[in-house]
Amino acid sequence: MDAPSQTPYSQQLRDGFRALRFGPALEAEYRAYCSQGLLTRFRLTALLALLVWLLFCASDFLRIGWTPAPELPQAVLEELRLARLLALATMLAATLYVQFSGSVERAQLAMLAIGYAVATGAAYGIYCYKQLHLPHESSMLVIAMMALFIPIGARMRWHLGLALSYIAAVVLMTLLAPNKALRIEMAGIVIALLLALVICTLSAYWREYLHREQFLYRGDAQWLALRDEMTGLSNRRMFNHHLDTVMRQAQREGQRVALLLLDVDHFKLYNDRYGHAAGDRALQTVAAVLQSFALRPLDLAARLGGEEMALVLYDPQPSHAAEVAQALVDAIAARRLPHEASPVAPVLTVSLGCALLRKDDNPDRFYRRADALLYQAKGSGRNRCCVDGVLRPAA
Ligand SMILES: Nc1nc2c(ncn2[C@@H]2O[C@H](COP(=O)(O)OP(=O)(O)OP(=O)(O)O)[C@@H](O)[C@H]2O)c(=O)[nH]1
């Protein structure tokens, strides 16, 4: 027997993702998965960050007072006020943006701007406090950098880039320090920041790696629960669920549904002649043709078991459903898979029944009507379709 077909998720697990990137389709799906519910969290986090910043500003007043002592260097006090205000303005603008933005990607950029404003603003504040010889906590700078790694759904390299530019800002402060003692003190902080950066980056890498891995395992399990592994088509469970949903939708909206049931002709003889593995490949070919006819979002191609497959078409014109049924039968014969044991044709063929939804149908009755039409097509010679009572011989 052939190796089982692979789900895109298990394939990605095998290919690996050390660079924290999947193939384009999975990457887009992963991003969409990460975006779920993010905007609400962003809005709350942005407000919280603003509150924290206002507390920072308030602590300045507590330490310096409304009227600063005249012996304090006024220029440094001005710089401190400016730094607090600049950060506040950035945060206010970004917070407002996040509250009203409908785009997760752009809101994410605003969140990163908030993080950067808090971190560099805090760093500059401590830098000023040092010059003012006021009590301060240098470890705040390391905490600020750790805050830049708060998971907000952004990619790890964004956080890393942000942290590096934060450290660059602290290095600049170090270089611009007015005296050697302060420069040495700031250099010590830079070293602590670099060490913290390594730890934060490693933990952010593993966090994203494990999150991606969990996403792949979850996707794989979901894929296998709803699809037929060999052909990649939806399985019977998914088919039942989908048929029920589109029928209810169509009956409510007064729209049409066509159900096409397809069965490979003399497939037992095919297996006997060419072997089970070749039979599997033939089913995969039939499935790929069937899938190519499911073009609209609510269309569905499914493998119901063995060599029986189905196609659900949502809101087709009756003439279109009949055309699709005929085109499917013709397209499979046109693949010209040799079937020398078949009494019908020298190539693999299918028979097909196509029923159109009626007002009084329930899923079971609808299915049974399509099945009866399939049997009619089989009974009248195979390699043909029967559309609601109308027999159509193969072209
Ligand atoms: N290779 C392969 N064969 C399968 C698979 N599932 C079912 N089959 C075979 O499909 C065949 C179906 O045989 P039947 O139900 O007698 O139908 P048929 O030979 O196609 O005859 P008609 O439907 O009357 O034309 C059986 O031999 C099954 O073993 C599968 O996944 N792979």
Side-chain angles (χ1 to χ4, degrees), residues 265-275 339 341-343:
D265 296 327
H266 296 298
F267 194 55
K268 183 175 181 321
L269 295 180
Y270 189 92
N271 270 335
D272 293 347
R273 178 67 171 250
Y274 301 100
H339 190 353
S342 169

Side-chain angles (χ1 to χ4, degrees), residues 230 263-269 271 276 279-280 283 303 306-307 378 382:
M230 192 182 81
D263 189 280
V264 180
D265 296 327
H266 296 298
F267 194 55
K268 183 175 181 321
L269 295 180
N271 270 335
H276 207 85
D280 284 355
L283 288 180
R303 182 182 181 207
E307 14 81 88
K378 286 253 178 210
R382 295 182 172 85

